[in-house]
Amino acid sequence: MKNYLLILISFFSIPAFAQDDLLNMLENENPDKPSPVYATFKSTRVINLQSNETMKKKHLDFRIQHRFTPLDFTAGNNYGAYNLFGLDGAVLRLGFEYGITDKLMVGAGRSTIGKTYDFMLKYKILQQTTKGKRAMPFSLNYFGNMGINTLAWSDPKRSNLFTSRLSFVNQLIITKKFNDHVSLIVSPTLVHYNLVDSVKNPNDIFALGIGGSFKISRSSRFNIEYIPRLNGRDAFNGLYHDAFAIGFDIETGGHVFQLHFTNAGGLIEQQFVARTTDEFNGVSKLRFGFNLSRTFSMEKEGK
């Protein structure tokens, strides 16, 4: 009986040892093979800034971006408790993002500010990898969009051009995931407006987005970002300011819920990079907001 048991144990042990040996052989044959780095951020956005993440092929993301008016604790009919610290007023963007491939994502949305429609694409140029002599130390993406302001013309009798409604963004997204807890982002950005208020104001605004994400738990992250403008600071008589944001990601199943505070009222790059009207000078000018993301698979079952 003991001999039978010994033979039986040996028989079932052979595949296990063989599998371990096969994996060891593969690792020895490819010790320098680069391994892609995933989940640098939890969403396609850090807060306002685009992240390096794109939707998987044939996956659709429905995104709701909601931003309230400033908290402002000043007493008065338009501020403080009377306005429920900003909750009585809000701006909204509804958008869709779709993965054409695992590297290429397209999207469209509509914001209440300027009744603006936007169309975007994001492409992964380089992906961070680990291991090996040829490992890529960072990820690089390109992001571009076009905005169409559809507000009624202030003077409909004037000869108005459709091209005057258009604005554009070109952005490089450079990210690095240092470990399971820390990821950083740098985003050189160019915003172009076909029409500006005055010949003294530049049509092109350059900015440099900087941000970080810090893992708190398996399903939550702390995020922070700042977007300083590199030109045009004095052209608008101090009307516009640099955007700042701080917040948290909470992942629940197929949803990513982002809670944040920011001085920016806009929800697309044309609005928050170069058209933030509230200066960040303390809690009173911050706006509470949230981004809600829900992903759907468009792949056929069984594939």
Side-chain angles (χ1 to χ4, degrees):
M1 188 64 177
K2 290 181 179 180
N3 291 336
Y4 284 123
L5 288 174
L6 183 61
I7 293 171
L8 190 63
I9 293 172
S10 300
F11 178 77
F12 282 106
S13 298
I14 289 173
F17 286 124
Q19 186 178 23
D20 290 340
D21 290 341
L22 180 59
L23 291 173
N24 291 332
M25 288 173 62
L26 290 173
E27 289 178 358
N28 291 332
E29 284 184 7
N30 301 289
D32 296 330
K33 184 178 180 180
S35 177
V37 173
Y38 296 105
T40 305
F41 295 92
K42 275 197 173 293
S43 174
T44 58
R45 287 168 180 74
V46 183
I47 300 175
N48 290 313
L49 282 174
Q50 296 283 335
S51 76
N52 67 310
E53 305 296 339
T54 58
M55 297 305 301
K56 290 178 60 179
K57 181 180 179 181
K58 295 184 178 180
H59 279 66
L60 177 70
D61 180 72
F62 173 56
R63 179 173 295 270
I64 301 173
Q65 295 170 257
H66 209 83
R67 190 73 48 78
F68 297 98
T69 51
L71 297 174
D72 212 325
F73 298 101
T74 306
N77 290 338
N78 298 317
Y79 302 100
Y82 182 82
N83 198 30
L84 199 59
F85 305 104
L87 296 185
D88 283 352
V91 294
L92 176 71
R93 178 182 179 270
L94 301 178
F96 294 91
E97 299 171 356
Y98 181 73
I100 303 294
T101 70
D102 287 341
K103 291 186 176 182
L104 176 62
M105 180 182 82
V106 296
R110 202 269 193 183
S111 305
T112 54
I113 296 180
K115 301 185 185 299
T116 303
Y117 292 87
D118 63 276
F119 304 90
M120 55 83 78
L121 68 84
K122 188 191 295 185
Y123 181 73
K124 287 184 179 180
I125 302 172
L126 299 172
Q127 183 167 7
Q128 182 181 349
T129 58
T130 60
K131 300 179 183 179
K133 298 179 181 179
R134 292 181 294 178
M136 179 58 59
F138 59 88
S139 293
L140 175 65
N141 291 51
Y142 166 77
F143 168 79
N145 84 354
M146 176 180 72
I148 306 175
N149 184 312
T150 64
L151 279 176
W153 296 110
S154 58
D155 184 1
K157 296 180 180 180
R158 187 177 60 185
S159 179
N160 298 296
L161 301 176
F162 173 76
T163 53
S164 298
R165 296 184 175 277
L166 305 181
S167 57
F168 303 88
V169 170
N170 287 285
Q171 184 178 75
L172 290 177
I173 303 168
I174 305 166
T175 60
K176 183 175 180 62
K177 185 177 182 179
F178 289 90
N179 50 51
D180 287 341
H181 293 85
V182 179
S183 299
L184 297 181
I185 181 171
V186 177
S187 299
T189 305
L190 167 63
V191 181
H192 173 81
Y193 303 91
N194 277 0
L195 180 67
V196 291
D197 297 335
S198 168
V199 293
K200 297 180 180 180
N201 299 334
N203 292 80
D204 297 315
I205 299 294
F206 296 89
L208 185 67
I210 305 168
S213 181
F214 308 91
K215 183 178 178 180
I216 299 173
S217 67
R218 185 176 180 180
S219 59
S220 62
R221 280 178 174 266
F222 168 76
N223 303 313
I224 188 170
E225 62 182 36
Y226 175 56
I227 313 173
R229 294 160 298 147
L230 305 181
N231 72 309
R233 288 179 172 272
D234 299 325
F236 300 94
N237 297 319
L239 177 62
Y240 301 121
H241 306 278
D242 297 336
F244 170 82
I246 187 171
F248 296 89
D249 290 349
I250 302 173
E251 185 178 12
T252 57
H255 296 78
V256 176
F257 198 51
Q258 295 181 303
L259 302 172
H260 55 264
F261 290 94
T262 178
N263 66 320
L267 297 166
I268 60 174
E269 285 71 16
Q270 288 91 328
Q271 297 166 358
F272 63 76
V273 170
R275 295 292 187 267
T276 292
T277 56
D278 291 311
E279 184 178 8
F280 173 61
N281 58 359
V283 175
S284 65
K285 291 298 181 181
L286 289 181
R287 301 164 181 258
F288 173 66
F290 63 84
N291 301 332
L292 178 60
S293 170
R294 181 66 170 94
T295 301
F296 303 88
S297 174
M298 307 303 286
E299 294 180 314
K300 293 182 179 179
E301 295 185 3
K303 291 189 177 183

